[in-house]
Amino acid sequence: WWSILLLAVTIGLLVYAGVATRPPRLAASAPSAELGSESPAVASLLTGRYPQEHGATDFHLPMRPSLVTLASILQDSGYDTRGYVSQLILTPRNGFARGFDLFDDTVLGRVDPLSQETSRRLTDRVLEQASTLTEPFFLWVHFYDPHFAYLEP
């Protein structure tokens, strides 16, 4: 058994060949796509499906309830599955908690991620509970701060 840690950090531009830009394939296939389309991107990461298949094609649309997620598969295989997020859209209401034994978005109740740094609080929350993880585990930690200019803690 392998334990899995997935750190998700979304940024407005991707680094491709050493230059912050759109990768050529993305630019060619979807020239008007916004790189900040986080809900569709994360839903694809968790389901292995294209946005048209998982349904979360916009910030306000949830994932289709019938789809299996990576966390569900690992949970069924005996993994301790946990998700920690500081993003307003990646919520249980939108289907992002599916398959997680523990899904923690409590940092959102403490600060406004649009105006304050949340990475330290989120990291502290994960570290507080890390000793209770049982192997094998799948741990998804999604940081929202990279969307904005650096805010000193």
Side-chain angles (χ1 to χ4, degrees):
W1 293 97
W2 294 89
S3 292
I4 302 166
L5 171 63
L6 175 62
L7 297 175
V9 179
T10 306
I11 57 175
L13 292 176
L14 301 176
V15 176
Y16 179 81
V19 179
T21 185
R22 279 180 201 257
R25 186 170 175 186
L26 175 63
S29 64
S32 63
E34 292 184 26
L35 291 173
S37 298
E38 191 160 0
S39 183
V42 174
S44 292
L45 179 70
L46 295 178
T47 65
R49 306 283 182 157
Y50 289 108
Q52 299 84 345
E53 296 175 62
H54 60 60
T57 57
D58 188 292
F59 282 111
H60 307 289
L61 296 174
M63 287 191 289
R64 291 194 174 100
S66 60
L67 290 178
V68 176
T69 64
L70 174 60
S72 299
I73 293 168
L74 293 172
Q75 184 182 51
D76 289 347
S77 297
Y79 277 70
D80 181 359
T81 57
R82 302 191 189 183
Y84 297 84
V85 301
S86 64
Q87 212 280 3
L88 296 167
I89 302 298
L90 306 179
T91 63
R93 185 187 74 218
N94 287 336
F96 290 96
R98 192 173 315 135
F100 287 101
D101 296 312
L102 172 76
F103 187 85
D104 190 329
D105 61 358
T106 58
V107 72
L108 295 174
R110 297 180 195 166
V111 297
D112 175 4
L114 301 177
S115 63
Q116 296 182 37
E117 178 270 335
T118 58
S119 291
R120 173 56 49 207
R121 287 177 176 86
L122 187 62
T123 301
D124 290 346
R125 184 75 178 144
V126 172
L127 293 175
E128 285 170 9
Q129 297 182 2
S131 65
T132 63
L133 281 166
T134 56
E135 291 200 29
F137 62 83
F138 171 58
L139 179 62
W140 171 42
V141 183
H142 188 95
F143 295 96
Y144 192 55
D145 293 352
H147 286 79
F148 309 106
Y150 175 72
L151 299 173
E152 291 190 39

